[in-house]
Structure formats: structure tokens, C-alpha cells
């Protein structure tokens, strides 16, 4: 369709049919390759979203007067490091 305006009026389509089919096959292969890449990226994106959702479930909100259960000191004055694997 894109090349038809470029061809003279007397051009027989059979003369360019082979080139057009080859070009279509190449484009189809490229499109299939790109679709596979998109599917793979979508899987990675879903894995990342699942990780984010899981981390959001592990978020802990503490009040400013909360005390450490181990040493009984105010938590806001302590340097804390939380392990993401802790329940």
C-alpha cells in the first residue's frame, strides 16, 4: 500500500509481489520478536509490582512515644534497622 503510489501506472503487481511478500515476512518476524520482548517485560513488571505489594504489607507505623521491646528506650531516639524478612 505504501509503495503503490510510487509505482508507475503500468506496473504489474506480480513484478513486485515477491519483494512485498518478503518485506511482510520480515516485518512479521520483527513484530513477533517485539511481542515476545513485551511479554517478558510485562512479566518483570508484574514481579516488581508483587514485590512492592509484599513490602507495603510489611510496613509498620509506630507512634512517637513507642518504646523498644528489647531495651524499653524510646524508638524515635534509636537507630533502627529492619529486616524485610522479619514478620
Amino acid at each position: 500500500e505504501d509503495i503503490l503510489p510510487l509505482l508507475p501506472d503500468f506496473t504489474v503487481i506480480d513484478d513486485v509481489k515477491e519483494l512485498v511478500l518478503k518485506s511482510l515476512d520480515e516485518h512479521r518476524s520483527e513484530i513477533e520478536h517485539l511481542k515476545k520482548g513485551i511479554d517478558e517485560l510485562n512479566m518483570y513488571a508484574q514481579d516488581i509490582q508483587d514485590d512492592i505489594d509484599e513490602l507495603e504489607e510489611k510496613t509498620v507505623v509506630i507512634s512517637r512515644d513507642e518504646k523498644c521491646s528489647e531495651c524499653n528506650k524510646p524508638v524515635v531516639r534509636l537507630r533502627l534497622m529492619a529486616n524485610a524478612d522479619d514478620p
Side-chain angles (χ1 to χ4, degrees):
E1 192 174 285
D2 293 336
I3 63 168
L4 290 178
L6 304 174
L7 298 174
D9 291 337
F10 56 86
T11 302
V12 178
I13 297 299
D14 287 342
D15 294 342
V16 294
K17 179 180 176 182
E18 200 171 309
L19 292 172
V20 170
L21 290 176
K22 181 181 176 186
S23 176
L24 288 173
D25 283 340
E26 289 172 0
H27 286 292
R28 183 174 354 143
S29 295
E30 185 177 341
I31 289 170
E32 288 174 11
H33 177 72
L34 292 171
K35 281 182 180 180
K36 286 179 185 177
I38 289 171
D39 290 343
E40 189 174 317
L41 291 173
N42 282 335
M43 287 179 9
Y44 291 143
Q46 185 60 52
D47 288 345
I48 291 169
Q49 186 61 52
D50 292 345
D51 289 346
I52 290 170
D53 292 343
E54 185 178 326
L55 287 173
E56 285 178 348
E57 290 175 10
K58 293 182 178 184
T59 301
V60 177
V61 178
I62 57 172
S63 64
R64 77 172 62 174
D65 59 342
E66 185 118 8
K67 296 190 187 243
C68 174
S69 62
E70 297 291 319
C71 65
N72 207 31
K73 292 183 181 179
V75 174
V76 292
R77 293 187 180 185
L78 298 175
R79 295 176 118 192
L80 297 177
M81 191 182 278
N83 184 345
D85 294 330
D86 287 346

